[in-house]
Amino acid sequence: MAQTGIAKQAKTINKKVVDEILRYLDTTRYPIRNKLIFLLSERGGLRAKEIASITWSMVEDAQGNLTAEIILPNSASKGKDGGRVIPMAKVLREAMETHKYNSKNTEPHHRIIQTERASKTSAQVIVNIFQKWFADRGYDGCSSHSGRRTFITNAARKITSVGGSLRDIQYLSGHSSLQTTQRYIEGDSEARRKVVER
């Protein structure tokens, strides 16, 4: 029997897993770069293709200073509806600053994420990296989409407390359809119980 789309989705990750992965990445060969890759997914909600495509010009002003947001054009995303402006969480911006300080190629057109042998990488390489990280820590069902799903789910749970709506989550996700965004959001059985009680 074929699995439904929801059953195939990458698992979301909680704070304990996030902290463990970040500690693990400290032991890898390129800890600064790797932590930034992870945070671009978990705190920025970026897809693997977007992580591979992002350039310094998308996070800097005209003077080369880091901004407080990622300006992601359609060309770096999935097409005409994928581009967006994503505010950077403090921890993500700090990781970006550290990575920039330790990078050789920081001209505006250079890719932020590079490999030892090349000045750019691919979406598939990013997917493979996440797969290895989660496998090394024994987290089955997690992938490069786990951070993105976690970002979308966490944002959806908090958006009404700051006066926003699911439309704002749709925008941050780069989805052309609100229905797609809703499929990404992990449900919360405890929240469902509480709302019924009220």
Side-chain angles (χ1 to χ4, degrees):
M1 179 183 279
Q3 286 182 303
T4 62
I6 200 77
K8 292 180 181 178
Q9 284 189 317
K11 291 180 179 177
T12 56
I13 50 180
N14 59 30
K15 187 178 186 305
K16 180 182 175 185
V17 174
V18 170
D19 291 343
E20 183 180 343
I21 293 293
L22 289 172
R23 284 194 300 271
Y24 160 72
L25 294 178
D26 272 331
T27 70
T28 59
R29 188 170 180 182
Y30 302 104
I32 293 171
R33 182 204 66 181
N34 290 345
K35 287 169 83 170
L36 178 59
I37 290 171
F38 181 78
L39 291 169
L40 283 168
S41 173
E42 190 266 332
R43 297 306 300 265
L46 270 62
R47 302 173 174 98
K49 178 184 188 291
E50 294 166 345
I51 295 171
S53 301
I54 190 172
T55 64
W56 288 110
S57 65
M58 299 176 198
V59 296
E60 293 178 338
D61 62 21
Q63 288 74 45
N65 302 308
L66 280 181
T67 59
E69 55 199 17
I70 299 168
I71 301 174
L72 198 68
N74 289 328
S75 60
S77 189
K78 286 187 75 175
K80 64 178 184 177
D81 296 321
R84 56 207 188 274
V85 177
I86 306 162
M88 275 196 271
K90 182 182 177 184
V91 66
L92 175 54
R93 193 174 187 281
E94 288 172 351
M96 190 75 73
E97 286 176 341
T98 303
H99 180 67
K100 183 179 180 182
Y101 180 78
N102 287 277
S103 295
K104 295 177 183 176
N105 301 320
T106 58
E107 292 297 313
H109 66 280
H110 280 133
R111 299 278 181 94
I112 292 175
I113 304 302
Q114 302 181 10
T115 68
E116 187 175 19
R117 298 180 184 85
S119 60
K120 60 182 180 179
T121 189
S122 68
Q124 189 58 56
V125 167
I126 298 296
V127 169
N128 294 346
I129 285 173
F130 273 97
Q131 189 173 37
K132 180 183 185 309
W133 292 344
F134 285 122
D136 283 353
R137 304 312 301 160
Y139 292 118
D140 294 331
C142 293
S143 71
S144 60
H145 244 49
S146 291
R148 178 168 161 78
R149 269 202 82 205
T150 300
F151 170 83
I152 294 170
T153 296
N154 289 341
R157 289 177 180 166
K158 297 171 184 174
I159 195 68
T160 56
S161 68
V162 294
S165 73
L166 276 182
R167 288 290 178 191
D168 298 298
I169 306 304
Q170 179 188 350
Y171 174 81
L172 287 171
S173 306
H175 291 145
S176 57
S177 161
L178 185 58
Q179 190 175 17
T180 302
T181 304
Q182 289 172 319
R183 284 201 300 268
Y184 269 70
I185 300 168
E186 181 87 2
D188 186 329
S189 57
E190 180 63 14
R192 289 193 291 267
R193 185 190 65 75
K194 287 179 180 177
V195 78
V196 168
E197 287 298 327
R198 288 183 184 181

